[in-house]
Each structure stands twice: as structure tokens, then as C-alpha cells.
Amino acid sequence: MTDLAVRPASLDRGRLLHWLQEYGVYAGVAVLLVVNLAVTPHFLSAENFRTQAVQVAPVMIVALGMALAIGTEGVDLSVGAVMALSASVLALYLGYGLLPALLVVALFAAAVGLANGALVALVGVQPIVATLALMVGGRGLALVLLPQLKDVRNPALASLGAGDVLGVPYLILIAAVLAVAVAFTVRRTTFGRQLLAIGDNRAAARLAGLPVRRVLLLVYTVCALLAAVAGVLATARLQASDPTSLGNLMELSAITAVVVGGTPLSGGRVRIGGTVAGAVLIQLLTATLIKHDLPSSWTQIAQAAVIVLAVYAARGRGKR
């Protein structure tokens, strides 16, 4: 009788953990929506939804790149610094026109991504160490280029930050297009399959003849470019470049979104839909606490609790 009683309990616990792994982030978003509908005034207003969506767009874009890095059993701690560096470079070169400035931003971001990838793929440095070096150095370079906040006045950039199509802000449209593109890349392309194979077992992927180094170089370059996009969009929305604060702790928000969304830190699997939902969950949680006049310290505590729950639910998920 005892064994029979224990087995159903173990099965139920296993099913619960599996359900949390697959759908917990969506349930969390639904719960926060219901709570806000009940206790937050004017939560249903179109302006509030627009504000929340605009604020979550940069986090979502950075998290997409982070998901690719984590999918290879790596991580990129330099994404916040890349955002700050992009803002500095954009402010310095905007006088030549928006398109030339964006090209220079892309070159700087690609250089950081290639440096990260080279340290990981060619030198063999652990990703957390390699990207930590660029995290410190990248923000330092951003502050050297632009030591203080600078107003950014450009009609095209202002339109990018505040414009919309049929009421949908450009920032949201860009984030949605990038999410679809990354999801397609992971699921439907050879590069995506190679990325997952490397994350699942790098040694086996190398023995199978996969271009491990090239894939890792490309992954970290794409991650940096996506962070640069987020930095440009954040600068466009604020109409100011502030390398001191822009992107601060963005790497932690992105990692949280990816982990909460169901992508295992052990690599071999990438859940783009879950990552997007994870970014939305973080934004809703932050906005809920702010709207009820709770200090920012509570936001950090709440995010820590979410991370702990996500890591607990991820136990035994492993690689697939």
C-alpha cells in the first residue's frame, strides 16, 4: 500500500513540474493580468497597454539574442554594455544622418560580438568570463566616447521612437518581427539545428563535422547586434543618450526572461515563445509593483523569487 501511495504522488509531482516547465510562464502572465484587472486602476486603458508594450520591447529583443547564446550552453553578460555603447556611438554619428549612424553602431556591436565569440570559440574562454570582460570594457568605452547624458534630436529617430502603424508603435512591430525571425531561424534553418546540436553536446557536434567555431562566432555576433537594436530603440524612445544608466542590469533581465521562458541553462533547447512571455512577465511584475507605490527593491526581490521558482521547475528538464 505504501509503494502504491508513493508512486501516484511521484507521478503527480512529475506532471506538475512538467506542466510548470512548459506552461508556467504563460500561467504567470495570466495571473498577473487578472490581478491587475482586479486591483490596478485604469489597467485596461489602451494607453497603459501601449506603455507596457513599448517598455518591454527592448528587453524582449535582448532576450532573443540571450536565448541563442544560452542555447549553445553559453551566456552573454555584455548585452547591457552593448546597449550603452550603441547609444554613445549613435549620438556621436547622428550628425551624418540616421542611416550612416546606424551602420557605425552595427559595426561597433558586431566587433564586440565577434570579440566575445572569438574568446569563446577560438581561445576557449568560458562564456561567462569572456563576456564579463566585454561587459566592463564595453561600458567603459561607451563612457569614454560620451561621458555624460546627451539629448538626441533627429526627426527620423524621433519617428522611430514615437511613430506607429495603425496605432501599433514601431518598437513593438520591430520586436515582433525579430521574434518571428529568430524563431524561424531556430526551428527551420540549418544554422538553428547546428546551434542546438552544439548546445546539446559540443564535443559530439565537433566530431560530427559541424562548424562549431563559426556557429559560436555568429551566435555572439547576432546577440550583440540585437542588443544594439535595443539600445537604438531605447535611445529613440527617450530622445537622449545616457551610457551611464542605459542597459544597466539588462543582462540579468534577459537571462531571467530566457530561463523563466523554459530555455535550460544547460543548452540544447531554445524556446522563443517562452522567452517573449518571460519578458512580458518581468515587465508586468515590475509595472504592478510600481503602480502600487512599492520601492524598486521589491521589484528586485520579486524577480529573484521568479528566478528561484523557474530554476526549481527546470530541475530534471535537461537537454532535448
Side-chain angles (χ1 to χ4, degrees), residues 120-153:
V120 174
L122 305 180
V123 182
V125 179
Q126 287 293 326
I128 193 170
V129 177
T131 58
L132 179 62
L134 272 296
M135 169 186 172
V136 177
R139 189 168 294 275
L141 178 58
L143 291 171
V144 168
L145 295 174
L146 193 68
Q148 58 188 5
L149 184 145
K150 179 180 179 180
D151 290 337
V152 178
R153 304 296 178 187

Side-chain angles (χ1 to χ4, degrees), residues 22-38:
E22 298 296 325
Y23 308 109
V25 63
Y26 305 107
V29 171
V31 168
L32 279 176
L33 287 173
V34 171
V35 169
N36 277 286
L37 287 173

Side-chain angles (χ1 to χ4, degrees), residues 66-75 127 186 192-202 216 219-220 258-259 262-271 314 316-320:
M66 188 67 74
L68 297 180
I70 291 177
T72 64
E73 201 178 2
V75 71
V186 171
R193 290 190 288 270
Q194 291 173 342
L195 182 156
L196 298 179
I198 291 169
D200 188 55
N201 192 318
R202 187 176 300 185
L216 289 175
V219 163
Y220 284 95
V258 174
V259 174
T263 297
L265 290 171
S266 54
R269 188 184 185 198
V270 175
R271 295 190 61 192
R317 174 162 48 207
K319 301 173 183 180
R320 296 184 182 182

Side-chain angles (χ1 to χ4, degrees), residues 159-317:
S159 176
L160 179 63
D164 60 68
V165 176
L166 300 176
V168 181
Y170 288 142
L171 275 71
I172 301 173
L173 291 174
I174 293 171
V177 169
L178 289 174
V180 171
V182 173
F184 177 83
T185 299
V186 171
R187 291 179 174 271
R188 300 295 182 184
T189 67
T190 300
F191 170 75
R193 290 190 288 270
Q194 291 173 342
L195 182 156
L196 298 179
I198 291 169
D200 188 55
N201 192 318
R202 187 176 300 185
R206 187 177 288 110
L207 290 174
L210 298 184
V212 175
R213 292 179 175 179
R214 186 173 68 197
V215 170
L216 289 175
L217 284 170
L218 188 54
V219 163
Y220 284 95
T221 301
V222 170
C223 188
L225 287 172
L226 287 173
V229 172
V232 169
L233 294 180
T235 302
R237 183 170 66 88
L238 298 173
Q239 287 295 285
S241 175
D242 185 9
T244 302
S245 61
L246 184 64
N248 271 344
L249 300 180
M250 178 59 76
E251 55 280 348
L252 299 183
S253 296
I255 292 171
T256 302
V258 174
V259 174
V260 170
T263 297
L265 290 171
S266 54
R269 188 184 185 198
V270 175
R271 295 190 61 192
I272 297 302
T275 297
V276 172
V280 173
L281 178 67
I282 294 169
Q283 175 57 35
L284 282 175
L285 183 61
T286 303
T288 301
L289 297 176
I290 290 174
K291 285 179 178 295
H292 292 276
D293 298 322
L294 291 171
S296 58
S297 56
W298 281 99
T299 301
Q300 296 172 344
I301 294 172
Q303 287 191 11
V306 170
I307 293 173
V308 171
L309 289 173
V311 171
Y312 174 78
R315 292 188 313 161
R317 174 162 48 207

